[in-house]
Amino acid sequence: MRANLYHRVVVLLLMAVLGLPVAATLLYSLSSRWGATILPDGLTLSWYLTLWQDPRFLAAFGNSLAICIGTLVLGTVLIVPAAFVVFYRFPSLAKWMNLLILIPFAVPPVVSSVGLLQLYADGPLAMVGTPWILVGCYFTVALPFMYRALANTLGTMNLHDLMDAAHLLGASTGRAFLLVILPNLKKSLMASLFLSFSFLLGEFVFANILVGTRHETLQVYLYSIRQTSGHFTSAVVLSYFAFTLALTWLAARLGKSDRGA
């Protein structure tokens, strides 16, 4: 009984520590004025109304969504078949792939950005200032999350037995991959996509150095308005947090539906 009470107290304290800054930011974003008093002088939704009527914010939010979705589509098309080929045809390459996916973590984004500026600032592949260079950079960021999640599932799957059974039933390798292997990868793929999306939506270094305001993303927009009203900035942060929270909830719902199926 005491152990259960202790665990509940620890969980409640942890929730309070994590939730208090979010609650304070939410209250500040809803306050009309908050001076030297403990509580704000009044509550208002005007900061959110101003934010969601700002064409610059809507454009930045749309740019971030388009870049992130494009990156994840590219990642799905390239990484899923690549992971399957590695585990099915060339299992000896798995250790090299595990080393390869660590490279984005080994090289700081600032260092990578300087090199990319020199490569793509001009010439036939002048992509600096365009969303295309962000899609390429974000692909390298999402690669470890997506490949590791798929590799964990493929490593626990009787891959060769499933493929042999599909071949005995007359299916080609491509058809067996689409109809047998891919459905088994759905859960890990969806989890990696949501995780990567949440991470990419908050990426700032690549977006600020390589693109900046020429194709403004949500984080660059937030950085550029940091000197304006703190209430307005808090509304931006809470909107971003609410959107990420909704994605997390959706991922959890999809996971539950998969287990139920």
Side-chain angles (χ1 to χ4, degrees), residues 151-172:
N152 290 338
T153 302
L154 289 169
T156 59
M157 189 186 303
N158 296 322
L159 184 60
H160 288 86
D161 292 342
L162 290 173
M163 293 298 296
D164 290 342
H167 288 156
L168 288 174
L169 294 173
S172 63

Side-chain angles (χ1 to χ4, degrees), residues 76-198:
T76 302
V77 171
L78 295 181
I79 298 173
V80 176
F84 168 74
V85 170
V86 168
F87 277 82
Y88 182 57
R89 294 292 190 185
F90 309 103
S92 61
L93 295 179
K95 60 180 181 180
W96 297 107
M97 288 297 296
N98 291 330
L99 179 62
L100 178 64
I101 63 175
L102 294 178
I103 294 179
F105 294 110
V107 182
V110 174
V111 177
S112 301
S113 299
V114 173
L116 291 170
L117 281 173
Q118 295 179 352
L119 286 174
Y120 299 108
D122 51 20
L125 294 176
M127 294 190 296
V128 173
T130 69
W132 307 113
I133 194 169
L134 282 186
V135 171
C137 292
Y138 285 3
F139 172 79
T140 63
V141 175
L143 172 62
F145 299 103
M146 296 184 66
Y147 179 82
R148 192 66 262 164
L150 295 171
N152 290 338
T153 302
L154 289 169
T156 59
M157 189 186 303
N158 296 322
L159 184 60
H160 288 86
D161 292 342
L162 290 173
M163 293 298 296
D164 290 342
H167 288 156
L168 288 174
L169 294 173
S172 63
T173 300
R175 187 175 179 83
F177 168 72
L178 292 175
L179 299 181
V180 179
I181 304 303
L182 195 57
N184 285 281
L185 296 176
K186 177 183 176 182
K187 184 178 178 180
S188 58
L189 177 61
M190 293 301 297
S192 65
L193 288 176
F194 279 106
L195 177 63
S196 300
F197 188 89
S198 300

Side-chain angles (χ1 to χ4, degrees), residues 33-84:
R33 184 176 178 274
W34 198 344
T37 58
I38 297 178
L39 295 176
D41 297 334
L43 299 178
T44 180
L45 291 174
S46 61
W47 304 113
Y48 286 93
L49 295 176
T50 303
L51 173 66
W52 286 97
Q53 292 175 357
D54 183 8
R56 185 182 170 191
F57 167 75
L58 296 177
F61 189 65
N63 291 338
S64 293
L65 290 180
I67 292 171
C68 292
I69 292 174
T71 300
L72 297 180
V73 170
L74 177 65
T76 302
V77 171
L78 295 181
I79 298 173
V80 176
F84 168 74

